[in-house]
Amino acid sequence: MLKPKVAMVLAAGRGERMRPLSAVVPKPALPLPSAPVVSSAVGLAAAAGVSRVVVNVWHLADRMVEALEDIDHESLEVVVSREHELMGTSGGLAIARERGLLQTEGPVLVINGDGSYDLDPEPLIQHHAAGSGEITLGLVPHPDPSRWSRVHVADDHAVTGIVGPDQPGASEESLLYPGLMVVARHLIEELPSIPGNTPETLWWPAMERRTLGGVVVTGSWREVGTPADYLDEVLRQLDRKTSIHPTARVHPTARLDACLVGRNAEIGAEAVVCETAVLEGASVAAGARVSHSVLAGAIHVSAGDEPHGVFLANER
């Protein structure tokens, strides 16, 4: 069986759990100290050895495209698939196929665009290439079964069930799907070009045929799904340092401690900003104090205000 030469990064959704931030910036386009969130998925695709990455966009599509332009693609071809309506995960794959973007041979690597990945995809690629399954999920040891669904896998690597968040049994190997899979070419060709989602159109039918497989990959994964997740990832990458975008305006007397100051943001004189992301033109007035928060878009913290632990965003 051939190895994937093309990957699809799913980045079109509204990002409902990321609101209010996703009303201003698409979730995969949110800036991190290293690069936009979506860059991690693109990097994982490159590590898997593909030559092309297709990224679908719909919600705030122009802003999503700008984020992709901020990524250093090196020799990887990155192609955008704009959707005129939200097609869902499987519908997005079908539209990209119709447009000839997913090539014509070999399986397709599919990656969620809203994760922070430090995974080795090689066991997934090798297992799918060597096996007879139609879909292979990359899995990781479960970090929090009370928060995310668990995947049950038999000794022959066949997925036998996916159950909702709860406490696993004492003898259960608790595994998580972090948003990384390989899909056989014939399934991609058979997808209907209508809105649809991966579980209903791909996973459940393959599980009935016992051709949905799963293999554990090594490394780490962090979800960037909610404002709190996003701030945690910002602070992890900052590692107590501060990152300031070239277009930001920061008064020399402002005090910044572990902050991400994004494009067109403004921090006034003697403002104190700690463990906070100030993004997309948000501003903090002279003398204000902000801590452990995210501000985005048309948000202004006035002099004398001291917000703590808030996530605020407004479109301009």
PDB file of all heavy atoms in Angstrom, residues 17-18 32 34 37 40-41 112-119 140-141 143 147-148 176-179 219-226 229-230 232-237:
ATOM      1  N   ARG A  17     -16.219  26.609  20.497  1.00  0.00           N
ATOM      2  CA  ARG A  17     -15.706  26.526  21.872  1.00  0.00           C
ATOM      3  C   ARG A  17     -14.632  27.574  22.143  1.00  0.00           C
ATOM      4  O   ARG A  17     -14.280  27.821  23.298  1.00  0.00           O
ATOM      5  CB  ARG A  17     -15.163  25.124  22.151  1.00  0.00           C
ATOM      6  CG  ARG A  17     -16.251  24.055  22.191  1.00  0.00           C
ATOM      7  CD  ARG A  17     -15.709  22.723  22.671  1.00  0.00           C
ATOM      8  NE  ARG A  17     -14.594  22.268  21.859  1.00  0.00           N
ATOM      9  CZ  ARG A  17     -13.415  21.915  22.343  1.00  0.00           C
ATOM     10  NH1 ARG A  17     -13.167  21.978  23.638  1.00  0.00           N
ATOM     11  NH2 ARG A  17     -12.460  21.499  21.525  1.00  0.00           N
ATOM     12  N   MET A  18     -14.100  28.179  21.080  1.00  0.00           N
ATOM     13  CA  MET A  18     -13.069  29.205  21.253  1.00  0.00           C
ATOM     14  C   MET A  18     -13.669  30.605  21.358  1.00  0.00           C
ATOM     15  O   MET A  18     -12.939  31.583  21.557  1.00  0.00           O
ATOM     16  CB  MET A  18     -12.068  29.143  20.093  1.00  0.00           C
ATOM     17  CG  MET A  18     -10.840  30.031  20.237  1.00  0.00           C
ATOM     18  SD  MET A  18      -9.825  29.720  21.694  1.00  0.00           S
ATOM     19  CE  MET A  18      -8.908  28.267  21.150  1.00  0.00           C
ATOM     20  N   LEU A  32       0.537  32.223  18.111  1.00  0.00           N
ATOM     21  CA  LEU A  32       1.331  31.719  19.225  1.00  0.00           C
ATOM     22  C   LEU A  32       2.722  32.341  19.119  1.00  0.00           C
ATOM     23  O   LEU A  32       3.074  32.893  18.069  1.00  0.00           O
ATOM     24  CB  LEU A  32       1.414  30.191  19.174  1.00  0.00           C
ATOM     25  CG  LEU A  32       0.112  29.444  19.476  1.00  0.00           C
ATOM     26  CD1 LEU A  32       0.248  27.974  19.105  1.00  0.00           C
ATOM     27  CD2 LEU A  32      -0.278  29.594  20.934  1.00  0.00           C
ATOM     28  N   SER A  34       5.459  31.031  18.562  1.00  0.00           N
ATOM     29  CA  SER A  34       6.246  30.414  17.489  1.00  0.00           C
ATOM     30  C   SER A  34       5.670  30.731  16.115  1.00  0.00           C
ATOM     31  O   SER A  34       6.399  31.101  15.195  1.00  0.00           O
ATOM     32  CB  SER A  34       6.295  28.898  17.700  1.00  0.00           C
ATOM     33  OG  SER A  34       4.977  28.362  17.768  1.00  0.00           O
ATOM     34  N   VAL A  37      -1.464  28.794  15.286  1.00  0.00           N
ATOM     35  CA  VAL A  37      -1.800  27.452  15.754  1.00  0.00           C
ATOM     36  C   VAL A  37      -1.714  26.427  14.632  1.00  0.00           C
ATOM     37  O   VAL A  37      -1.162  25.335  14.802  1.00  0.00           O
ATOM     38  CB  VAL A  37      -3.216  27.448  16.383  1.00  0.00           C
ATOM     39  CG1 VAL A  37      -3.692  26.020  16.628  1.00  0.00           C
ATOM     40  CG2 VAL A  37      -3.230  28.244  17.689  1.00  0.00           C
ATOM     41  N   SER A  40       1.383  24.030  13.482  1.00  0.00           N
ATOM     42  CA  SER A  40       1.750  22.753  14.077  1.00  0.00           C
ATOM     43  C   SER A  40       1.251  21.593  13.227  1.00  0.00           C
ATOM     44  O   SER A  40       1.976  20.617  12.997  1.00  0.00           O
ATOM     45  CB  SER A  40       1.185  22.661  15.496  1.00  0.00           C
ATOM     46  OG  SER A  40       1.606  21.481  16.137  1.00  0.00           O
ATOM     47  N   ALA A  41       0.022  21.689  12.722  1.00  0.00           N
ATOM     48  CA  ALA A  41      -0.518  20.646  11.849  1.00  0.00           C
ATOM     49  C   ALA A  41       0.246  20.578  10.531  1.00  0.00           C
ATOM     50  O   ALA A  41       0.532  19.494  10.013  1.00  0.00           O
ATOM     51  CB  ALA A  41      -2.000  20.889  11.589  1.00  0.00           C
ATOM     52  N   ASN A 112      -6.370  17.539  12.178  1.00  0.00           N
ATOM     53  CA  ASN A 112      -7.127  18.681  12.701  1.00  0.00           C
ATOM     54  C   ASN A 112      -6.218  19.896  12.809  1.00  0.00           C
ATOM     55  O   ASN A 112      -5.065  19.783  13.244  1.00  0.00           O
ATOM     56  CB  ASN A 112      -7.713  18.357  14.068  1.00  0.00           C
ATOM     57  CG  ASN A 112      -8.818  17.326  14.006  1.00  0.00           C
ATOM     58  OD1 ASN A 112      -9.266  16.938  12.932  1.00  0.00           O
ATOM     59  ND2 ASN A 112      -9.263  16.870  15.162  1.00  0.00           N
ATOM     60  N   GLY A 113      -6.754  21.061  12.450  1.00  0.00           N
ATOM     61  CA  GLY A 113      -5.929  22.266  12.416  1.00  0.00           C
ATOM     62  C   GLY A 113      -5.831  23.011  13.725  1.00  0.00           C
ATOM     63  O   GLY A 113      -5.209  24.071  13.783  1.00  0.00           O
ATOM     64  N   ASP A 114      -6.438  22.490  14.802  1.00  0.00           N
ATOM     65  CA  ASP A 114      -6.484  23.250  16.049  1.00  0.00           C
ATOM     66  C   ASP A 114      -5.731  22.591  17.193  1.00  0.00           C
ATOM     67  O   ASP A 114      -6.029  22.836  18.365  1.00  0.00           O
ATOM     68  CB  ASP A 114      -7.936  23.490  16.464  1.00  0.00           C
ATOM     69  CG  ASP A 114      -8.698  22.180  16.696  1.00  0.00           C
ATOM     70  OD1 ASP A 114      -8.141  21.096  16.421  1.00  0.00           O
ATOM     71  OD2 ASP A 114      -9.854  22.252  17.160  1.00  0.00           O
ATOM     72  N   GLY A 115      -4.742  21.766  16.874  1.00  0.00           N
ATOM     73  CA  GLY A 115      -3.957  21.121  17.922  1.00  0.00           C
ATOM     74  C   GLY A 115      -2.520  21.601  17.916  1.00  0.00           C
ATOM     75  O   GLY A 115      -2.032  22.171  16.934  1.00  0.00           O
ATOM     76  N   SER A 116      -1.857  21.389  19.043  1.00  0.00           N
ATOM     77  CA  SER A 116      -0.415  21.638  19.129  1.00  0.00           C
ATOM     78  C   SER A 116       0.255  20.274  19.181  1.00  0.00           C
ATOM     79  O   SER A 116       0.151  19.551  20.181  1.00  0.00           O
ATOM     80  CB  SER A 116      -0.088  22.453  20.385  1.00  0.00           C
ATOM     81  OG  SER A 116       1.306  22.654  20.516  1.00  0.00           O
ATOM     82  N   TYR A 117       0.926  19.900  18.085  1.00  0.00           N
ATOM     83  CA  TYR A 117       1.434  18.549  17.922  1.00  0.00           C
ATOM     84  C   TYR A 117       2.950  18.495  18.054  1.00  0.00           C
ATOM     85  O   TYR A 117       3.670  19.291  17.462  1.00  0.00           O
ATOM     86  CB  TYR A 117       1.072  18.011  16.532  1.00  0.00           C
ATOM     87  CG  TYR A 117      -0.403  17.919  16.252  1.00  0.00           C
ATOM     88  CD1 TYR A 117      -1.057  18.909  15.523  1.00  0.00           C
ATOM     89  CD2 TYR A 117      -1.142  16.835  16.696  1.00  0.00           C
ATOM     90  CE1 TYR A 117      -2.416  18.822  15.257  1.00  0.00           C
ATOM     91  CE2 TYR A 117      -2.501  16.735  16.423  1.00  0.00           C
ATOM     92  CZ  TYR A 117      -3.121  17.733  15.708  1.00  0.00           C
ATOM     93  OH  TYR A 117      -4.470  17.643  15.448  1.00  0.00           O
ATOM     94  N   ASP A 118       3.408  17.526  18.836  1.00  0.00           N
ATOM     95  CA  ASP A 118       4.817  17.145  18.842  1.00  0.00           C
ATOM     96  C   ASP A 118       4.845  15.618  18.798  1.00  0.00           C
ATOM     97  O   ASP A 118       5.241  14.952  19.750  1.00  0.00           O
ATOM     98  CB  ASP A 118       5.510  17.694  20.093  1.00  0.00           C
ATOM     99  CG  ASP A 118       7.014  17.454  20.084  1.00  0.00           C
ATOM    100  OD1 ASP A 118       7.542  17.082  19.007  1.00  0.00           O
ATOM    101  OD2 ASP A 118       7.656  17.599  21.137  1.00  0.00           O
ATOM    102  N   LEU A 119       4.348  15.090  17.686  1.00  0.00           N
ATOM    103  CA  LEU A 119       4.165  13.656  17.522  1.00  0.00           C
ATOM    104  C   LEU A 119       5.062  13.116  16.417  1.00  0.00           C
ATOM    105  O   LEU A 119       5.390  13.826  15.467  1.00  0.00           O
ATOM    106  CB  LEU A 119       2.703  13.344  17.163  1.00  0.00           C
ATOM    107  CG  LEU A 119       1.631  13.723  18.193  1.00  0.00           C
ATOM    108  CD1 LEU A 119       0.248  13.512  17.599  1.00  0.00           C
ATOM    109  CD2 LEU A 119       1.796  12.923  19.467  1.00  0.00           C
ATOM    110  N   VAL A 140      -2.907   8.403  21.168  1.00  0.00           N
ATOM    111  CA  VAL A 140      -1.940   8.696  22.222  1.00  0.00           C
ATOM    112  C   VAL A 140      -2.523   8.247  23.553  1.00  0.00           C
ATOM    113  O   VAL A 140      -3.751   8.145  23.707  1.00  0.00           O
ATOM    114  CB  VAL A 140      -1.597  10.207  22.284  1.00  0.00           C
ATOM    115  CG1 VAL A 140      -0.913  10.654  20.995  1.00  0.00           C
ATOM    116  CG2 VAL A 140      -2.833  11.050  22.563  1.00  0.00           C
ATOM    117  N   PRO A 141      -1.665   7.957  24.546  1.00  0.00           N
ATOM    118  CA  PRO A 141      -2.194   7.660  25.886  1.00  0.00           C
ATOM    119  C   PRO A 141      -3.070   8.806  26.368  1.00  0.00           C
ATOM    120  O   PRO A 141      -2.728   9.981  26.207  1.00  0.00           O
ATOM    121  CB  PRO A 141      -0.919   7.524  26.730  1.00  0.00           C
ATOM    122  CG  PRO A 141       0.140   7.101  25.750  1.00  0.00           C
ATOM    123  CD  PRO A 141      -0.202   7.829  24.475  1.00  0.00           C
ATOM    124  N   PRO A 143      -4.718  11.690  28.268  1.00  0.00           N
ATOM    125  CA  PRO A 143      -4.322  12.563  29.379  1.00  0.00           C
ATOM    126  C   PRO A 143      -5.454  12.869  30.349  1.00  0.00           C
ATOM    127  O   PRO A 143      -5.201  13.220  31.499  1.00  0.00           O
ATOM    128  CB  PRO A 143      -3.857  13.845  28.670  1.00  0.00           C
ATOM    129  CG  PRO A 143      -4.664  13.887  27.411  1.00  0.00           C
ATOM    130  CD  PRO A 143      -4.858  12.449  27.002  1.00  0.00           C
ATOM    131  N   ARG A 147     -12.495  14.286  30.260  1.00  0.00           N
ATOM    132  CA  ARG A 147     -12.730  15.430  29.384  1.00  0.00           C
ATOM    133  C   ARG A 147     -12.989  15.033  27.935  1.00  0.00           C
ATOM    134  O   ARG A 147     -13.796  15.666  27.251  1.00  0.00           O
ATOM    135  CB  ARG A 147     -11.526  16.376  29.452  1.00  0.00           C
ATOM    136  CG  ARG A 147     -11.702  17.639  28.613  1.00  0.00           C
ATOM    137  CD  ARG A 147     -10.535  18.588  28.772  1.00  0.00           C
ATOM    138  NE  ARG A 147     -10.716  19.787  27.938  1.00  0.00           N
ATOM    139  CZ  ARG A 147      -9.799  20.742  27.784  1.00  0.00           C
ATOM    140  NH1 ARG A 147      -8.645  20.663  28.422  1.00  0.00           N
ATOM    141  NH2 ARG A 147     -10.048  21.773  27.002  1.00  0.00           N
ATOM    142  N   TRP A 148     -12.296  14.008  27.435  1.00  0.00           N
ATOM    143  CA  TRP A 148     -12.391  13.645  26.023  1.00  0.00           C
ATOM    144  C   TRP A 148     -12.783  12.179  25.858  1.00  0.00           C
ATOM    145  O   TRP A 148     -12.533  11.346  26.743  1.00  0.00           O
ATOM    146  CB  TRP A 148     -11.061  13.890  25.320  1.00  0.00           C
ATOM    147  CG  TRP A 148     -10.630  15.316  25.267  1.00  0.00           C
ATOM    148  CD1 TRP A 148     -11.259  16.350  24.627  1.00  0.00           C
ATOM    149  CD2 TRP A 148      -9.467  15.893  25.881  1.00  0.00           C
ATOM    150  NE1 TRP A 148     -10.557  17.518  24.795  1.00  0.00           N
ATOM    151  CE2 TRP A 148      -9.454  17.279  25.552  1.00  0.00           C
ATOM    152  CE3 TRP A 148      -8.435  15.377  26.650  1.00  0.00           C
ATOM    153  CZ2 TRP A 148      -8.454  18.143  25.986  1.00  0.00           C
ATOM    154  CZ3 TRP A 148      -7.429  16.231  27.092  1.00  0.00           C
ATOM    155  CH2 TRP A 148      -7.447  17.598  26.755  1.00  0.00           C
ATOM    156  N   LEU A 176      -6.580   8.160  23.328  1.00  0.00           N
ATOM    157  CA  LEU A 176      -7.225   9.366  22.798  1.00  0.00           C
ATOM    158  C   LEU A 176      -6.886   9.535  21.327  1.00  0.00           C
ATOM    159  O   LEU A 176      -5.746   9.299  20.908  1.00  0.00           O
ATOM    160  CB  LEU A 176      -6.731  10.586  23.577  1.00  0.00           C
ATOM    161  CG  LEU A 176      -7.083  11.971  23.014  1.00  0.00           C
ATOM    162  CD1 LEU A 176      -8.510  12.324  23.381  1.00  0.00           C
ATOM    163  CD2 LEU A 176      -6.137  13.041  23.544  1.00  0.00           C
ATOM    164  N   TYR A 177      -7.876   9.980  20.554  1.00  0.00           N
ATOM    165  CA  TYR A 177      -7.642  10.378  19.164  1.00  0.00           C
ATOM    166  C   TYR A 177      -7.346  11.880  19.145  1.00  0.00           C
ATOM    167  O   TYR A 177      -8.239  12.689  19.415  1.00  0.00           O
ATOM    168  CB  TYR A 177      -8.856  10.068  18.301  1.00  0.00           C
ATOM    169  CG  TYR A 177      -8.778  10.629  16.902  1.00  0.00           C
ATOM    170  CD1 TYR A 177      -7.852  10.132  15.988  1.00  0.00           C
ATOM    171  CD2 TYR A 177      -9.617  11.664  16.500  1.00  0.00           C
ATOM    172  CE1 TYR A 177      -7.771  10.646  14.702  1.00  0.00           C
ATOM    173  CE2 TYR A 177      -9.543  12.184  15.213  1.00  0.00           C
ATOM    174  CZ  TYR A 177      -8.620  11.671  14.322  1.00  0.00           C
ATOM    175  OH  TYR A 177      -8.534  12.192  13.052  1.00  0.00           O
ATOM    176  N   PRO A 178      -6.117  12.293  18.814  1.00  0.00           N
ATOM    177  CA  PRO A 178      -5.762  13.709  18.854  1.00  0.00           C
ATOM    178  C   PRO A 178      -5.987  14.461  17.545  1.00  0.00           C
ATOM    179  O   PRO A 178      -5.607  15.633  17.439  1.00  0.00           O
ATOM    180  CB  PRO A 178      -4.270  13.663  19.196  1.00  0.00           C
ATOM    181  CG  PRO A 178      -3.786  12.429  18.510  1.00  0.00           C
ATOM    182  CD  PRO A 178      -4.929  11.447  18.586  1.00  0.00           C
ATOM    183  N   GLY A 179      -6.584  13.796  16.547  1.00  0.00           N
ATOM    184  CA  GLY A 179      -6.866  14.494  15.290  1.00  0.00           C
ATOM    185  C   GLY A 179      -5.886  14.190  14.181  1.00  0.00           C
ATOM    186  O   GLY A 179      -5.507  15.082  13.423  1.00  0.00           O
ATOM    187  N   GLY A 219       5.069  10.865  21.449  1.00  0.00           N
ATOM    188  CA  GLY A 219       5.164  12.322  21.486  1.00  0.00           C
ATOM    189  C   GLY A 219       4.034  12.913  22.303  1.00  0.00           C
ATOM    190  O   GLY A 219       3.356  12.217  23.065  1.00  0.00           O
ATOM    191  N   SER A 220       3.814  14.199  22.128  1.00  0.00           N
ATOM    192  CA  SER A 220       2.813  14.894  22.932  1.00  0.00           C
ATOM    193  C   SER A 220       1.833  15.647  22.037  1.00  0.00           C
ATOM    194  O   SER A 220       2.134  15.986  20.896  1.00  0.00           O
ATOM    195  CB  SER A 220       3.488  15.874  23.898  1.00  0.00           C
ATOM    196  OG  SER A 220       4.193  16.873  23.168  1.00  0.00           O
ATOM    197  N   TRP A 221       0.659  15.892  22.599  1.00  0.00           N
ATOM    198  CA  TRP A 221      -0.399  16.641  21.927  1.00  0.00           C
ATOM    199  C   TRP A 221      -1.083  17.508  22.959  1.00  0.00           C
ATOM    200  O   TRP A 221      -1.288  17.083  24.106  1.00  0.00           O
ATOM    201  CB  TRP A 221      -1.410  15.684  21.304  1.00  0.00           C
ATOM    202  CG  TRP A 221      -2.730  16.327  20.956  1.00  0.00           C
ATOM    203  CD1 TRP A 221      -3.040  17.003  19.813  1.00  0.00           C
ATOM    204  CD2 TRP A 221      -3.922  16.348  21.750  1.00  0.00           C
ATOM    205  NE1 TRP A 221      -4.341  17.438  19.849  1.00  0.00           N
ATOM    206  CE2 TRP A 221      -4.908  17.058  21.032  1.00  0.00           C
ATOM    207  CE3 TRP A 221      -4.248  15.845  23.011  1.00  0.00           C
ATOM    208  CZ2 TRP A 221      -6.197  17.259  21.525  1.00  0.00           C
ATOM    209  CZ3 TRP A 221      -5.528  16.054  23.502  1.00  0.00           C
ATOM    210  CH2 TRP A 221      -6.481  16.752  22.758  1.00  0.00           C
ATOM    211  N   ARG A 222      -1.396  18.721  22.564  1.00  0.00           N
ATOM    212  CA  ARG A 222      -2.153  19.617  23.441  1.00  0.00           C
ATOM    213  C   ARG A 222      -3.278  20.218  22.610  1.00  0.00           C
ATOM    214  O   ARG A 222      -3.034  20.750  21.520  1.00  0.00           O
ATOM    215  CB  ARG A 222      -1.266  20.731  24.009  1.00  0.00           C
ATOM    216  CG  ARG A 222      -0.292  20.226  25.067  1.00  0.00           C
ATOM    217  CD  ARG A 222       0.780  21.256  25.355  1.00  0.00           C
ATOM    218  NE  ARG A 222       1.599  21.508  24.170  1.00  0.00           N
ATOM    219  CZ  ARG A 222       2.619  20.743  23.797  1.00  0.00           C
ATOM    220  NH1 ARG A 222       2.959  19.692  24.503  1.00  0.00           N
ATOM    221  NH2 ARG A 222       3.301  21.028  22.710  1.00  0.00           N
ATOM    222  N   GLU A 223      -4.495  20.134  23.138  1.00  0.00           N
ATOM    223  CA  GLU A 223      -5.629  20.734  22.447  1.00  0.00           C
ATOM    224  C   GLU A 223      -5.575  22.248  22.616  1.00  0.00           C
ATOM    225  O   GLU A 223      -5.241  22.752  23.690  1.00  0.00           O
ATOM    226  CB  GLU A 223      -6.957  20.214  22.989  1.00  0.00           C
ATOM    227  CG  GLU A 223      -8.138  20.731  22.174  1.00  0.00           C
ATOM    228  CD  GLU A 223      -9.478  20.373  22.775  1.00  0.00           C
ATOM    229  OE1 GLU A 223      -9.636  20.496  23.992  1.00  0.00           O
ATOM    230  OE2 GLU A 223     -10.372  19.984  22.006  1.00  0.00           O
ATOM    231  N   VAL A 224      -5.912  22.968  21.545  1.00  0.00           N
ATOM    232  CA  VAL A 224      -6.061  24.422  21.615  1.00  0.00           C
ATOM    233  C   VAL A 224      -7.516  24.701  21.227  1.00  0.00           C
ATOM    234  O   VAL A 224      -7.807  25.271  20.179  1.00  0.00           O
ATOM    235  CB  VAL A 224      -5.062  25.148  20.691  1.00  0.00           C
ATOM    236  CG1 VAL A 224      -5.086  26.646  20.968  1.00  0.00           C
ATOM    237  CG2 VAL A 224      -3.642  24.614  20.902  1.00  0.00           C
ATOM    238  N   GLY A 225      -8.437  24.253  22.079  1.00  0.00           N
ATOM    239  CA  GLY A 225      -9.843  24.273  21.727  1.00  0.00           C
ATOM    240  C   GLY A 225     -10.671  25.344  22.391  1.00  0.00           C
ATOM    241  O   GLY A 225     -11.727  25.720  21.891  1.00  0.00           O
ATOM    242  N   THR A 226     -10.217  25.836  23.535  1.00  0.00           N
ATOM    243  CA  THR A 226     -10.953  26.850  24.283  1.00  0.00           C
ATOM    244  C   THR A 226     -10.018  28.021  24.581  1.00  0.00           C
ATOM    245  O   THR A 226      -8.794  27.895  24.481  1.00  0.00           O
ATOM    246  CB  THR A 226     -11.461  26.274  25.611  1.00  0.00           C
ATOM    247  OG1 THR A 226     -10.332  26.006  26.461  1.00  0.00           O
ATOM    248  CG2 THR A 226     -12.252  24.992  25.400  1.00  0.00           C
ATOM    249  N   ASP A 229      -7.427  26.926  27.023  1.00  0.00           N
ATOM    250  CA  ASP A 229      -6.395  26.098  26.377  1.00  0.00           C
ATOM    251  C   ASP A 229      -5.409  26.975  25.617  1.00  0.00           C
ATOM    252  O   ASP A 229      -4.191  26.750  25.648  1.00  0.00           O
ATOM    253  CB  ASP A 229      -7.029  25.121  25.385  1.00  0.00           C
ATOM    254  CG  ASP A 229      -7.885  24.061  26.036  1.00  0.00           C
ATOM    255  OD1 ASP A 229      -7.633  23.721  27.203  1.00  0.00           O
ATOM    256  OD2 ASP A 229      -8.814  23.574  25.364  1.00  0.00           O
ATOM    257  N   TYR A 230      -5.952  27.955  24.900  1.00  0.00           N
ATOM    258  CA  TYR A 230      -5.104  28.834  24.101  1.00  0.00           C
ATOM    259  C   TYR A 230      -4.127  29.598  24.986  1.00  0.00           C
ATOM    260  O   TYR A 230      -2.924  29.642  24.700  1.00  0.00           O
ATOM    261  CB  TYR A 230      -5.962  29.794  23.292  1.00  0.00           C
ATOM    262  CG  TYR A 230      -5.176  30.896  22.618  1.00  0.00           C
ATOM    263  CD1 TYR A 230      -4.264  30.608  21.603  1.00  0.00           C
ATOM    264  CD2 TYR A 230      -5.319  32.220  23.029  1.00  0.00           C
ATOM    265  CE1 TYR A 230      -3.523  31.615  21.005  1.00  0.00           C
ATOM    266  CE2 TYR A 230      -4.588  33.228  22.419  1.00  0.00           C
ATOM    267  CZ  TYR A 230      -3.688  32.923  21.415  1.00  0.00           C
ATOM    268  OH  TYR A 230      -2.940  33.925  20.826  1.00  0.00           O
ATOM    269  N   ASP A 232      -3.068  28.818  27.941  1.00  0.00           N
ATOM    270  CA  ASP A 232      -2.094  27.869  28.492  1.00  0.00           C
ATOM    271  C   ASP A 232      -0.985  27.587  27.492  1.00  0.00           C
ATOM    272  O   ASP A 232       0.202  27.520  27.861  1.00  0.00           O
ATOM    273  CB  ASP A 232      -2.781  26.559  28.872  1.00  0.00           C
ATOM    274  CG  ASP A 232      -3.600  26.663  30.149  1.00  0.00           C
ATOM    275  OD1 ASP A 232      -3.447  27.673  30.874  1.00  0.00           O
ATOM    276  OD2 ASP A 232      -4.398  25.740  30.413  1.00  0.00           O
ATOM    277  N   GLU A 233      -1.341  27.408  26.216  1.00  0.00           N
ATOM    278  CA  GLU A 233      -0.324  27.118  25.201  1.00  0.00           C
ATOM    279  C   GLU A 233       0.550  28.337  24.937  1.00  0.00           C
ATOM    280  O   GLU A 233       1.770  28.207  24.735  1.00  0.00           O
ATOM    281  CB  GLU A 233      -0.985  26.636  23.914  1.00  0.00           C
ATOM    282  CG  GLU A 233      -0.028  26.241  22.804  1.00  0.00           C
ATOM    283  CD  GLU A 233       0.884  25.083  23.165  1.00  0.00           C
ATOM    284  OE1 GLU A 233       0.652  24.397  24.175  1.00  0.00           O
ATOM    285  OE2 GLU A 233       1.850  24.851  22.401  1.00  0.00           O
ATOM    286  N   VAL A 234      -0.040  29.527  24.940  1.00  0.00           N
ATOM    287  CA  VAL A 234       0.754  30.750  24.799  1.00  0.00           C
ATOM    288  C   VAL A 234       1.797  30.827  25.908  1.00  0.00           C
ATOM    289  O   VAL A 234       2.993  31.052  25.657  1.00  0.00           O
ATOM    290  CB  VAL A 234      -0.158  31.998  24.831  1.00  0.00           C
ATOM    291  CG1 VAL A 234       0.677  33.268  25.012  1.00  0.00           C
ATOM    292  CG2 VAL A 234      -0.964  32.099  23.542  1.00  0.00           C
ATOM    293  N   LEU A 235       1.371  30.631  27.138  1.00  0.00           N
ATOM    294  CA  LEU A 235       2.290  30.752  28.278  1.00  0.00           C
ATOM    295  C   LEU A 235       3.343  29.644  28.267  1.00  0.00           C
ATOM    296  O   LEU A 235       4.501  29.880  28.625  1.00  0.00           O
ATOM    297  CB  LEU A 235       1.501  30.734  29.584  1.00  0.00           C
ATOM    298  CG  LEU A 235       0.527  31.904  29.780  1.00  0.00           C
ATOM    299  CD1 LEU A 235      -0.223  31.766  31.096  1.00  0.00           C
ATOM    300  CD2 LEU A 235       1.249  33.244  29.717  1.00  0.00           C
ATOM    301  N   ARG A 236       2.949  28.450  27.837  1.00  0.00           N
ATOM    302  CA  ARG A 236       3.931  27.364  27.749  1.00  0.00           C
ATOM    303  C   ARG A 236       5.026  27.702  26.759  1.00  0.00           C
ATOM    304  O   ARG A 236       6.217  27.513  27.038  1.00  0.00           O
ATOM    305  CB  ARG A 236       3.228  26.061  27.343  1.00  0.00           C
ATOM    306  CG  ARG A 236       4.133  24.835  27.380  1.00  0.00           C
ATOM    307  CD  ARG A 236       3.457  23.648  26.727  1.00  0.00           C
ATOM    308  NE  ARG A 236       3.393  23.805  25.283  1.00  0.00           N
ATOM    309  CZ  ARG A 236       4.400  23.516  24.447  1.00  0.00           C
ATOM    310  NH1 ARG A 236       5.555  23.075  24.926  1.00  0.00           N
ATOM    311  NH2 ARG A 236       4.256  23.669  23.154  1.00  0.00           N
ATOM    312  N   GLN A 237       4.633  28.231  25.598  1.00  0.00           N
ATOM    313  CA  GLN A 237       5.636  28.569  24.590  1.00  0.00           C
ATOM    314  C   GLN A 237       6.463  29.797  24.980  1.00  0.00           C
ATOM    315  O   GLN A 237       7.651  29.869  24.656  1.00  0.00           O
ATOM    316  CB  GLN A 237       4.964  28.789  23.238  1.00  0.00           C
ATOM    317  CG  GLN A 237       4.405  27.527  22.606  1.00  0.00           C
ATOM    318  CD  GLN A 237       4.063  27.709  21.138  1.00  0.00           C
ATOM    319  OE1 GLN A 237       4.487  28.669  20.490  1.00  0.00           O
ATOM    320  NE2 GLN A 237       3.305  26.771  20.590  1.00  0.00           N
TER     321      GLN A 237
END
